[in-house]
């Protein structure tokens, strides 16, 4: 459930402590990461509810198909914004946080909707070492299992 907390940590660290400029690149990258983290936090909240209430499926799992398309559109729009900023010469060292945020948003998209990139438990690590491949993300598996 740390995803929403990470939004605040990222914002304070980058924009307050490191004093990164609030330029188009930095804000775009940050917003994309924040949206992905909110969606990830929402998924884990409904997954916990499903498990605690012993429900047959996560509540509102159908909404995540729409959210996936929203994330895809956001990443494309973010890429266009970054490309236009580069073309205009508006990207310099002060824009590095935004570029890193954008790359993190792409990684979070893959991590939530496709492949589990994070290995947080010994079981995750053991499975990756044994199979030598990434596992489908929990959200991906739930979306496949509960299609209407």
């Amino acid at each position: 459930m740390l995803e929403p907390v990470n939004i605040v940590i990222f914002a304070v660290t980058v924009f307050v402590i490191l004093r990164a400029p609030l330029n188009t690149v930095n804000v775009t990258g940050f917003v994309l990461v924040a949206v992905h983290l909110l969606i990830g936090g929402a998924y884990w909240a409904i997954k916990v509810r499903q498990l605690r209430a012993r429900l047959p499926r996560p509540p509102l799992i159908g909404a995540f198909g729409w959210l996936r398309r929203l994330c895809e559109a956001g990443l494309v729009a973010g890429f266009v914004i970054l490309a236009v900023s580069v073309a205009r010469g508006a990207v310099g060292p002060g824009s590095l946080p935004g570029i890193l945020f954008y790359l993190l948003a792409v990684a979070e998209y893959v991590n939530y909707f496709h492949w589990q990139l994070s290995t947080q438990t010994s079981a995750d690590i053991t499975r990756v070492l044994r199979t030598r491949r990434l596992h489908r993300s929990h959200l991906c598996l739930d979306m496949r299992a509960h299609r209407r």
Side-chain angles (χ1 to χ4, degrees):
M1 296 298 162
L2 288 177
E3 282 89 342
V5 174
N6 284 332
I7 296 169
V8 175
I9 291 170
F10 288 156
V12 169
T13 301
V14 172
F15 296 113
V16 176
I17 296 171
L18 297 176
R19 297 182 185 201
L22 290 171
N23 61 28
T24 303
V25 173
N26 289 342
V27 171
T28 298
F30 175 75
V31 167
L32 288 170
V33 166
V35 167
H36 282 84
L37 291 173
L38 284 173
I39 290 169
Y43 169 70
W44 287 113
I46 68 166
K47 188 65 176 176
V48 166
R49 182 164 181 247
Q50 175 200 11
L51 296 173
R52 285 187 179 154
R54 298 179 187 201
L55 301 172
R57 56 186 257 150
L60 303 170
I61 192 67
F64 286 87
W66 178 82
L67 291 171
R68 177 181 169 182
R69 290 187 294 279
L70 174 71
C71 288
E72 291 166 350
L75 290 173
V76 169
F79 183 81
V80 170
I81 290 169
L82 294 177
V84 168
S85 296
V86 168
R88 290 185 176 168
V91 175
S95 297
L96 182 60
I99 294 167
L100 294 175
F101 278 143
Y102 179 81
L103 295 173
L104 180 56
V106 171
E108 290 291 7
Y109 168 78
V110 171
N111 186 54
Y112 292 134
F113 291 105
H114 298 284
W115 299 98
Q116 182 181 342
L117 300 179
S118 58
T119 51
Q120 299 167 344
T121 67
S122 59
D124 289 339
I125 294 167
T126 301
R127 184 183 60 244
V128 169
L129 293 174
R130 187 183 73 247
T131 62
R132 295 194 172 121
R133 66 180 183 86
L134 295 173
H135 186 260
R136 283 291 184 180
S137 71
H138 294 281
L139 175 55
C140 177
L141 295 173
D142 273 338
M143 287 173 63
R144 283 184 179 178
H146 303 293
R147 284 186 185 154
R148 286 189 177 187

